[in-house]
């Protein structure tokens, strides 16, 4: 569980963009790994800061994070804490560039359709994803098993090449990934026959995701490391699962509440009845009080959708429509006339009956 991003940056939840930037700038400089060579925890702290800023510094992600927590923000995406740092300080003020080694694989996005029932209960879903995955023959290293590699001459095995550049304040050493070996420090002599030295092959793999109860349409879940494998043993990217919640006839969702429409005859609305409803928790009986008006809403507490990351559930709201009877039989017609007379309500003279006779003579 990542720490609260606001806590990481030491700002309040109402902090402005400017305050966020300021907090990040100050903290990132303090805990940059190159400024703390003796602190083994500095890199993790630096990464955490970058992640917090990647989310809060983006208005869209920040609002998702505020509403749904880390699970709903889609995570920081494909971000590199050193890239974020560089965007603030225009390069690397400590004279190093840490990004050596093989490239990270790309992130992937897939869509996943779930039902409203699954939103209510939460669900574990398994589905196949076809992508570039680490080659099993060479364990992603790209070298044919049993063959040797040789140390890269260009970078002498370091994976990094350094360049001296003349800058404003004197000479500056910049370092970058060795173009010859792609940061591996090694050169492959006999490429793997399965992946031709790429270290990855295309194949279909089953992916399993836990969809927490209470998710919403359009939210993304991140599955770490299930994106594309990086070339030649590089870390895999992440898989983003974009949720689509299928519409359910008769049900409408309003945040954590679910609205259900039902219709009852006017006799039941007038005299009261007990409705049997198929709710998400099974069959439930709902009392409709006598004198219920069309459009009135009955509330079943805590039978709606879970509040994501907050605990508790919304309500199931049953909106009641009232059916007025039509095509009355002679007995029914008489009874309702009697009812109207008792209440002193004027009604039309046998319109239905006379209409029928008129039609018959037409
Ligand atoms: Zn291979
Ligand atoms: Zn090299």
């Amino acid at each position: 569980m990542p720490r609260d991003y606001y806590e990481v940056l030491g700002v309040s939840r109402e902090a402005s963009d400017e305050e966020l930037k300021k907090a990040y700038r100050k903290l990132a400089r303090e805990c940059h790994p190159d400024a703390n060579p003796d602190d083994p925890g500095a890199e993790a702290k630096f990464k955490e800061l970058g992640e917090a800023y990647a989310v809060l510094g983006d208005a869209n992600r920040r609002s998702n994070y505020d509403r749904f927590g880390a699970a709903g923000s889609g995570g920081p995406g494909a971000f590199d804490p050193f890239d974020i740092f560089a965007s603030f300080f225009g390069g690397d003020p400590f004279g190093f560039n840490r990004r050596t080694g093989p490239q990270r694989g790309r992130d992937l996005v897939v869509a996943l359709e779930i039902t409203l029932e699954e939103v209510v209960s939460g669900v574990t879903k398994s589905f196949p994803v076809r992508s570039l995955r680490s080659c099993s023959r060479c364990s992603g290293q790209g070298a044919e098993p049993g063959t040797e590699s040789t140390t890269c001459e260009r970078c002498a095995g370091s994976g990094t090449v350094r360049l001296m550049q003349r800058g404003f304040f004197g000479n500056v050493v910049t370092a970058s990934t060795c173009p010859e070996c792609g940061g591996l420090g090694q050169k492959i002599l006999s490429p793997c026959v399965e992946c031709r030295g790429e270290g990855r092959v295309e194949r279909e793999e089953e992916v399993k995701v836990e969809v927490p109860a209470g998710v919403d349409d359009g939210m993304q879940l991140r599955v770490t490391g299930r994106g594309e494998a990086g070339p030649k043993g590089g870390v895999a990217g992440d898989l983003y699962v974009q949720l689509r919640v299928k519409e359910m006839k008769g049900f409408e969702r309003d945040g954590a509440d679910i609205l259900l429409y039902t219709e009852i005859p006017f006799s039941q609305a007038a005299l009261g009845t007990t409705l049997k409803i198929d709710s998400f928790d099974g069959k439930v009986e709902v009392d409709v009080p006598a004198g219920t008006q069309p459009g009135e809403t009955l509330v079943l507490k805590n039978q709606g959708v879970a509040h994501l990351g907050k605990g508790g559930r919304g309500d199931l709201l049953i909106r009641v429509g009232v059916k007025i009877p039509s095509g009355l039989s002679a007995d029914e017609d008489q009874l309702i006339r009697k009812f109207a007379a008792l209440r002193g309500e004027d009604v039309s003279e046998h319109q239905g009956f006379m209409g029928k006779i008129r039609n018959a003579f037409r």
Side-chain angles (χ1 to χ4, degrees):
M1 191 68 191
R3 272 210 297 155
D4 180 73
Y5 290 154
Y6 290 98
E7 204 180 300
V8 170
L9 289 171
V11 294
S12 78
R13 299 190 86 80
E14 290 76 40
S16 65
D17 284 353
E18 209 38 58
E19 285 172 287
L20 282 170
K21 263 191 204 139
K22 230 171 113 184
Y24 172 78
R25 195 177 290 139
K26 178 172 171 286
L27 292 169
R29 200 193 275 274
E30 276 170 21
C31 68
H32 193 289
D34 291 334
N36 301 275
D38 302 325
D39 179 4
E43 180 141 4
K45 250 189 261 172
F46 182 70
K47 200 172 169 232
E48 191 183 43
L49 264 180
E51 186 170 328
Y53 188 77
V55 171
L56 297 186
D58 178 310
N60 231 333
R61 286 190 183 145
R62 183 179 179 184
S63 106
N64 276 338
Y65 179 78
D66 288 346
R67 285 189 296 161
F68 308 117
S73 70
F79 89 105
D80 183 320
F82 292 94
D83 276 348
I84 294 176
F85 190 83
S87 75
F88 267 83
F89 296 99
D92 196 332
F94 302 101
F96 286 96
N97 183 333
R98 243 157 222 269
R99 283 179 295 125
T100 60
Q103 240 183 312
R104 181 182 184 274
R106 285 191 307 167
D107 291 334
L108 295 177
V109 181
V110 292
L112 176 67
E113 198 174 58
I114 55 172
T115 64
L116 193 54
E117 285 113 309
E118 290 169 336
V119 168
V120 172
S121 56
V123 68
T124 304
K125 285 274 186 185
S126 255
F127 50 90
V129 175
R130 194 166 184 85
S131 70
L132 287 169
R133 300 294 292 164
S134 177
C135 172
S136 40
R137 182 177 175 88
C138 61
S139 309
Q141 297 310 302
E144 180 65 6
T147 64
E148 281 173 30
S149 302
T150 169
T151 304
C152 172
E153 283 171 7
R154 176 91 180 258
C155 62
S158 71
T160 309
V161 285
R162 284 166 202 283
L163 285 171
M164 185 81 90
Q165 280 181 333
R166 206 179 291 275
F168 263 129
F169 308 106
N171 289 338
V172 184
V173 178
T174 60
S176 59
T177 302
C178 170
E180 194 71 29
C181 62
L184 287 175
Q186 300 276 308
K187 277 185 81 177
I188 292 162
L189 295 178
S190 319
C192 165
V193 296
E194 184 75 33
C195 62
R196 296 201 194 95
E198 251 287 277
R200 50 186 190 169
V201 285
E202 194 178 300
R203 69 165 172 265
E204 197 171 87
E205 275 180 18
E206 207 64 11
V207 175
K208 203 164 139 187
V209 281
E210 304 272 345
V211 182
V215 291
D216 220 328
D217 193 69
M219 275 178 58
Q220 279 192 343
L221 301 172
R222 178 165 58 145
V223 191
T224 312
R226 294 310 298 265
E228 260 181 20
K232 299 193 175 93
V235 230
D238 298 333
L239 175 72
Y240 287 89
V241 181
Q242 215 156 51
L243 299 175
R244 294 269 163 270
V245 180
K246 247 190 280 185
E247 296 210 345
M248 192 174 175
K249 210 165 176 264
F251 290 85
E252 207 173 281
R253 180 172 176 186
D254 180 16
D257 295 336
I258 294 176
L259 203 57
L260 165 68
Y261 292 94
T262 192
E263 255 191 348
I264 57 173
F266 94 116
S267 60
Q268 292 183 340
L271 304 173
T273 187
T274 303
L275 289 178
K276 290 188 179 64
I277 298 277
D278 270 326
S279 82
F280 295 101
D281 302 78
K283 288 203 189 313
V284 285
E285 298 203 332
V286 189
D287 279 327
V288 180
T292 292
Q293 301 300 317
E296 238 173 74
T297 305
L298 307 169
V299 180
L300 293 183
K301 282 265 166 219
N302 303 318
Q303 299 234 2
V305 177
H307 294 287
L308 193 63
K310 278 188 227 156
R313 289 171 65 176
D315 304 329
L316 179 61
L317 309 172
I318 301 164
R319 188 148 297 163
V320 183
V322 176
K323 258 186 298 200
I324 307 299
S326 59
L328 301 174
S329 70
D331 283 353
E332 291 166 345
D333 184 278
Q334 231 174 355
L335 270 174
I336 297 179
R337 283 185 189 283
K338 199 168 164 193
F339 173 79
L342 283 173
R343 294 180 69 99
E345 292 163 355
D346 282 337
V347 292
S348 307
E349 288 299 324
H350 286 280
Q351 199 185 43
F353 182 63
M354 291 304 284
K356 266 183 211 157
I357 291 173
R358 247 182 266 125
N359 282 339
F361 282 95
R362 196 165 281 172

